[in-house]
């Protein structure tokens, strides 16, 4: 299973890369805004470099059509490790599957994002998406069950032999990460603060303190 860092914060990417657990980094326009990026083009190239040899996911900012295709090709040319996030639909509900299919056929690695349903996952896989992001937190926000969408999607992909990888995205806490793992997500993308919580445990701290105190007492005796 792959772990991506959902962040545009260079210091966090360096830190978590140094922990040896990252398979890549995901971003979207909200993540760039939240992390204070003011010059996206320059920042994306630098973040792709920091994410290497992992995959770096950059999202298009055009809603559809040839402008989206041209932007996706430009972003893909930033570095060899770039995957392009393309939302499954526009804000008006028009399908972006044609764009996803065209980019895939042109050799661009596409991550179909903003997926909230099994139907969207099925169509994204049919269109050739390499990665499919299921925004589990946003499914849950609307009274749905994000983990159940992931689980059904994984069963469907395996049953029909599609090699698209499911990314559990929009995780709101460590419980979402664990539910996504249980549901069979191929990848989970995690904000830095949640990754830190995943590594931590009050009683692990207590246990390590006991070990260190015992070692110190032994040395002193
Ligand atoms: O990868 C998509 C994810 O970052 C969206 O998260 O919190 O905006 O639902 P959120």
């Amino acid at each position: 299973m792959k772990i991506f860092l959902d962040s545009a914060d260079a210091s966090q990417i360096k830190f978590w890369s140094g922990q040896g657990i990252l398979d890549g980094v995901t971003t979207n326009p909200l993540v760039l805004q939240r992390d204070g990026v003011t010059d996206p083009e320059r920042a994306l190239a630098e973040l792709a470099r920091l994410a290497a040899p992992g995959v770096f996911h950059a999202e298009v900012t055009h809603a559809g059509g040839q402008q989206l295709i041209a932007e996706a090709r430009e972003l893909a040319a930033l570095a060899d490790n770039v995957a392009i996030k393309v939302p499954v639909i526009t804000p008006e509900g028009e399908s972006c599957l044609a764009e996803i299919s065209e980019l895939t056929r042109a050799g661009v690695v596409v991550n179909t994002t903003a997926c909230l349903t099994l139907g969207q996952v099925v169509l994204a896989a049919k269109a050739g998406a390499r990665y499919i992001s299921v925004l589990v937190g946003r499914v849950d926000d609307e009274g749905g069950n994000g983990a159940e969408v992931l689980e059904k999607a994984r069963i469907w992909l395996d049953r029909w032999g599609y090699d698209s990888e499911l990314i559990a995205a929009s995780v709101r806490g460590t419980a979402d990460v664990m539910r996504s793992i249980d549901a069979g997500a191929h990848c989970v993308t995690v904000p830095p603060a949640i990754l830190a919580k995943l590594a931590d445990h009050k009683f692990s701290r207590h246990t390590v303190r006991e070990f260190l105190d015992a070692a110190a007492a032994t040395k002193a005796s």
Side-chain angles (χ1 to χ4, degrees):
M1 198 200 77
K2 293 175 183 166
I3 296 179
F4 299 139
L5 191 69
D6 202 21
S7 177
D9 181 331
S11 64
Q12 290 291 339
I13 295 170
K14 284 181 200 159
F15 176 79
W16 287 105
S17 291
Q19 301 297 304
I21 55 127
L22 281 193
D23 298 286
V25 171
T26 59
T27 61
N28 66 29
L30 275 174
V31 169
L32 297 182
Q33 185 184 46
R34 190 179 61 220
D35 286 337
V37 169
T38 50
D39 181 353
E41 203 168 317
R42 211 165 62 90
L44 291 173
E46 171 61 6
L47 296 174
R49 192 184 65 74
L50 291 176
V55 58
F56 177 70
H57 300 250
E59 186 162 332
V60 292
T61 58
H62 287 94
Q66 284 310 307
Q67 282 184 316
L68 183 157
I69 300 275
E71 184 186 17
R73 285 176 175 277
E74 272 174 37
L75 289 171
L78 283 176
D80 290 344
N81 62 331
V82 176
I84 306 302
K85 291 176 79 173
V86 179
V88 64
I89 54 170
T90 69
E92 289 72 36
E94 289 157 4
S95 165
C96 293
L97 295 165
E99 289 87 337
I100 291 162
S101 164
E102 182 176 334
L103 287 166
T104 297
R105 279 185 275 112
V108 174
V109 176
V110 174
N111 171 353
T112 300
T113 190
C115 293
L116 303 179
T117 68
L118 175 62
Q120 290 172 327
V121 172
V122 168
L123 295 178
K126 295 287 293 178
R130 180 80 190 83
Y131 299 97
I132 304 172
S133 293
V134 176
L135 274 54
V136 293
R138 291 187 184 236
V139 176
D140 294 347
D141 286 347
E142 297 298 314
N145 185 334
E148 194 177 282
V149 174
L150 273 179
E151 192 174 356
K152 289 187 173 169
R154 178 62 194 265
I155 290 168
W156 185 87
L157 290 172
D158 290 350
R159 178 181 295 157
W160 295 101
Y162 284 88
D163 60 7
S164 307
E165 293 183 46
L166 291 169
I167 303 178
S170 178
V171 299
R172 303 278 193 248
T174 54
D176 278 348
V177 176
M178 300 321 297
R179 278 194 287 267
S180 299
I181 291 170
D182 281 347
H186 299 89
C187 324
V188 59
T189 185
V190 190
I194 296 175
L195 209 45
K197 283 187 180 168
L198 208 58
D200 196 10
H201 195 289
K202 185 164 67 176
F203 293 113
S204 295
R205 294 187 191 202
H206 174 76
T207 301
V208 176
R209 173 50 54 207
E210 280 189 330
F211 293 157
L212 295 178
D213 287 350
T218 303
K219 271 184 210 157
S221 63

